Structure formats: C-alpha cells, structure tokens
Amino acid sequence: MSCFLTCVRFDDSITTTTTTDNKQPTITGSVSVSGVTCYTWDDVESLTSNFSRLIGSGGYSSIYLARLSGSTKAALKVHAGSHRLYQVFRSELEILLRLQHPHIVKLLGYFDDSEESGALLLEYLPQGNLQEKLNRNSKQVLPWRNRTAIAFQVAQAIEHIHEKCIPQIVHGDIKSSNILLDKHFNSKLCDFGSAKVGFSSMVQPCTTTSTSSPRSKQVTMIGSPGYTDPHYLRTGIASKKMDMYGFGVVLLELVSGKEAVSAERGEMLVHAAAPLLDSSAEIGEEKVRQFLDPRLFKDSSLDLEEVKTMLCVAAFCLRSAPSLRPSASQVVQTLVKKIPSLSYLGCGKEE
Ligand SMILES: Nc1ncnc2c1ncn2[C@@H]1O[C@H](COP(=O)(O)OP(=O)(O)OP(=O)(O)O)[C@@H](O)[C@H]1O
C-alpha cells in the first residue's frame, strides 16, 4: 500500500392549481413552505398517465415517467403494498425534504396515504444511472473527463450529507445504480431509502419490536452485493466510512468499466482489483492499462496519471479498517489537487 501514500495524501398550505396543457387533466397540489408539492392519488395517476411508462425499478419501488406542466418531465418513485415499503418511503421522504445540493436528486413533490402507499416526485435525470452508462453493451462510451467529474461530484454529495448538513446522514447504499446522470452527464446521488440520520460517527442499525427481548433484536442489513463494507458485514455497525467503501467500488467501476459483481463469473470487482490495490510497489503503467476500460484507449481526454490517482483514492477508500479510510472532504480535496481537468467544475465549490 506504500505506493499509494506516495501518490495520494489526505490532509488531515397554500392550495394551488398547477396549470397544464390541453393533454393533461388539471393537477391540484398543495405547496408546502419548502416548495415541495403534496399530491393526491388522482394527481399521481394524471401525472404518470396512469403509470404508462416504467423507467426503473428497485428492491423497494417502481419508478415511472411523469409529466408536469408544459413539457417538463419528472420521475415518480412509488412504494406501495405493505407497511414496510411505506416506512421506506417515509424515511426517504423525510431525508429528501432536508437535502438541497446540486449533486443530490431534487424532491419536487410527494403523495402519502399515511398507511401503505407513498410516492416521491423527483427531478428526471434523462441519462439514467451510471451502472447502465458504464455497461459494455451501452452504445455510448462515457469519456474519461466525465468519469472524473462524476467521481468528484459524487464525493461532493457524500461530503454534503456526512459533514455539511445537520443532522448528518449516512447514505448506506452507495453504488453506481444510485448515481443518476443529467443530459450533460453531471451526477446526482439518489435512493435514500437505506439512509440513517443523526450519526456523529457510528451506530448499530438494529430494530426491535415492543415485546422483544435484547435476544430477539433484528439487525436490518443495508447495502448491495459487491459494494458492502466487509467491516459492516462483520459487525453490523453502519458508519460514514461504509459510504466511503461503496464510493471506492464506484471508482473501480469508473476506471475499469466493469460491474461491481461480474454478471458472467460472479467475481467481485474488489477482488479482481486486489493485486493492483494491494501492491507495495509503484503501480506500473502496464497493470493500470490492463485494468483500464479498453474503450478508453481511443479517448483523447484519457490521462494515465489521473487514472492512477483514481485508483489510489479507491485503494484508500477500500481499506479494511474504517478508520484508515479517508473522509469525503479529504477525497474532494485530493481529487481537486490531483486531477487538473476538474478545475473547470469550480474546484470543489458547491454550485
Ligand atoms: N429521478 C430519476 N430519473 C431517472 N431515472 C430514475 C430516477 N430515479 C430512479 N431512476 C431509475 O430507477 C432506478 C431505481 O431507482 P432507486 O434506486 O431509487 O430505487 P430503489 O427501489 O430504492 O432501488 P434499490 O433496489 O437500489 O434500493 C435507478 O437506478 C434509475 O435507473
């Protein structure tokens, strides 16, 4: 690991009627003080033209294309069918109501039946998620310059939730399918359904029922295969550093263009990258080239020194002891210093 130390150092209710075009029925929503609209179920059906276009799905929800007034698009994330899913919705809603950051998906409105169903109306990100964009079958190759910018913007979003908002938030599921891209390939962190609020550093993610004894405590595990911090898997202790671990895996995906868990062989990317990341010698250019997404060789924005920096930062984020992993602000500072092309993004300043 010493080579990384030489290449990267971390310094220490007013009711209103929304006007619509002729094709849409009238939507009536009540706008809260924060500008987030509370919709009825009829509104939700109208906005999505009766859920006609599914644009994504996850373990907890289905996401539909919605149309606001004029031609503005939005995404409606629906959690329905059980009290458990309703709780996930409430938790994500409460967190998104607190968050405002250029690289975190924006909440526009919501529907809440207070029992079993809820829906979040989110800004629409037309380029979908990062995992799809990095996929080898994707028609478009994401240029190197965009990959470094995405890493930087995600680090800024994590820095915001970990260090700049009160109370602080641990995302709990940092992965490439939770990073959405706008038309310019700027990134926005999404899916706060696993997030934990109010951490100063660490907390045990346990849930108990009212009649339960300490023995019957249920541990709610969070995270996704290929991204989960081994320390969290061993101890059940969630912390900001588990987000940094997930971020380290995303960096490996950005460099290699490979998935966190290979679809064909089931191999984890962190294992495939281990010889490169654990090496005590200087990372040789040959090894970097072998790991690099081959589609980037023709990219004029590719810079092998920047690739090495991304790998060095990944190595630190993936360290087994959480205390040895960098904070998000250390990563932001390091990326700005070591990757000159990021200067066009405003050097770490929030937009
Ligand atoms: N605002 C949006 N704009 C465009 N696409 C979106 C948007 N929100 C979600 N999606 C799509 O839907 C997918 C699933 O979204 P999300 O991760 O929020 O759902 P989930 O049910 O919480 O999933 P998970 O299984 O990861 O917990 C995303 O990867 C993305 O492809």
Side-chain angles (χ1 to χ4, degrees):
M1 191 65 75
S2 62
C3 74
F4 299 120
L5 291 169
T6 58
C7 85
V8 171
R9 269 196 206 95
F10 292 103
D11 312 324
D12 273 26
S13 185
I14 304 154
T15 302
T16 186
T17 303
T18 307
T19 51
T20 54
D21 60 25
N22 295 336
K23 290 171 202 149
Q24 276 188 330
T26 302
I27 307 295
T28 306
S30 58
V31 179
S32 73
V33 184
S34 59
V36 173
T37 309
C38 179
Y39 291 103
T40 65
W41 186 250
D42 285 348
D43 292 339
V44 161
E45 287 182 331
S46 301
L47 287 166
T48 59
S49 305
N50 278 318
F51 308 99
S52 57
R53 196 162 147 213
L54 184 73
I55 54 169
S57 57
Y60 300 111
S61 65
S62 300
I63 295 94
Y64 299 89
L65 186 69
R67 280 180 200 277
L68 305 177
S69 55
S71 58
T72 309
K73 291 177 182 168
L76 188 88
K77 179 171 179 175
V78 186
H79 300 74
S82 75
H83 189 61
R84 164 88 187 105
L85 292 180
Y86 177 75
Q87 284 176 316
V88 174
F89 153 74
R90 276 303 311 184
S91 156
E92 186 163 6
L93 172 65
E94 276 156 32
I95 288 171
L96 286 176
L97 282 169
R98 297 161 188 263
L99 290 175
Q100 249 185 319
H101 187 271
H103 301 300
I104 295 178
V105 71
K106 191 175 174 195
L107 178 72
L108 305 174
Y110 64 95
F111 158 79
D112 182 356
D113 80 352
S114 308
E115 272 178 38
E116 282 205 339
S117 311
L120 302 165
L121 190 73
L122 304 164
E123 67 175 308
Y124 175 65
L125 279 302
Q127 292 289 346
N129 72 51
L130 176 62
Q131 185 185 42
E132 293 160 354
K133 272 286 162 295
L134 288 174
N135 189 293
R136 298 260 163 127
N137 299 324
S138 164
K139 284 186 204 136
Q140 203 178 10
V141 178
L142 196 57
W144 177 250
R145 178 166 278 226
N146 293 99
R147 298 190 195 205
T148 54
I150 289 166
F152 179 57
Q153 293 168 346
V154 174
Q156 286 181 302
I158 301 174
E159 179 188 33
H160 182 76
I161 60 171
H162 283 188
E163 295 163 39
K164 299 194 172 167
C165 65
I166 302 169
Q168 297 169 342
I169 295 165
V170 170
H171 183 278
D173 199 12
I174 300 286
K175 59 178 178 179
S176 55
S177 62
N178 284 340
I179 296 165
L180 304 176
L181 302 172
D182 73 8
K183 63 177 177 188
H184 302 296
F185 298 107
N186 289 306
S187 64
K188 310 247 178 181
L189 187 60
C190 75
D191 189 3
F192 286 78
S194 302
K196 306 283 165 196
V197 185
F199 284 53
S200 56
S201 58
M202 288 185 174
V203 97
Q204 191 125 20
C206 293
T207 55
T208 51
T209 58
S210 53
T211 54
S212 64
S213 68
R215 279 184 164 210
S216 64
K217 269 188 178 178
Q218 293 178 313
V219 176
T220 314
M221 298 305 281
I222 53 178
S224 299
Y227 297 89
T228 318
D229 171 8
H231 182 264
Y232 174 71
L233 284 177
R234 278 195 305 276
T235 62
I237 298 171
S239 73
K240 292 174 191 171
K241 296 300 176 75
M242 76 183 280
D243 284 349
M244 298 318 295
Y245 187 93
F247 178 74
V249 181
V250 171
L251 290 179
L252 295 182
E253 292 179 88
L254 285 165
V255 170
S256 69
K258 290 185 179 146
E259 290 178 295
V261 182
S262 140
E264 300 107 50
R265 289 181 290 148
E267 188 188 22
M268 298 224 286
L269 188 55
V270 280
H271 294 155
L276 187 69
L277 305 180
D278 291 341
S279 164
S280 53
E282 174 81 18
I283 320 176
E285 206 168 296
E286 197 44 45
K287 278 187 173 179
V288 172
R289 284 182 182 277
Q290 278 166 12
F291 189 71
L292 190 65
D293 185 341
R295 298 169 299 173
L296 288 172
F297 288 131
K298 288 188 202 145
D299 181 346
S300 59
S301 69
L302 180 69
D303 178 326
L304 281 184
E305 285 309 309
E306 294 180 1
V307 177
K308 283 187 187 175
T309 295
M310 295 267 277
L311 288 171
C312 290
V313 174
F316 272 98
C317 292
L318 294 166
R319 284 178 155 186
S320 47
S323 61
L324 296 177
R325 297 175 201 154
S327 66
S329 59
Q330 287 173 316
V331 168
V332 168
Q333 285 162 24
T334 302
L335 291 177
V336 166
K337 256 193 234 159
K338 297 278 178 179
I339 302 188
S341 61
L342 291 174
S343 55
Y344 78 102
L345 291 174
C347 285
K349 287 186 208 119
E350 285 171 13
E351 285 156 34

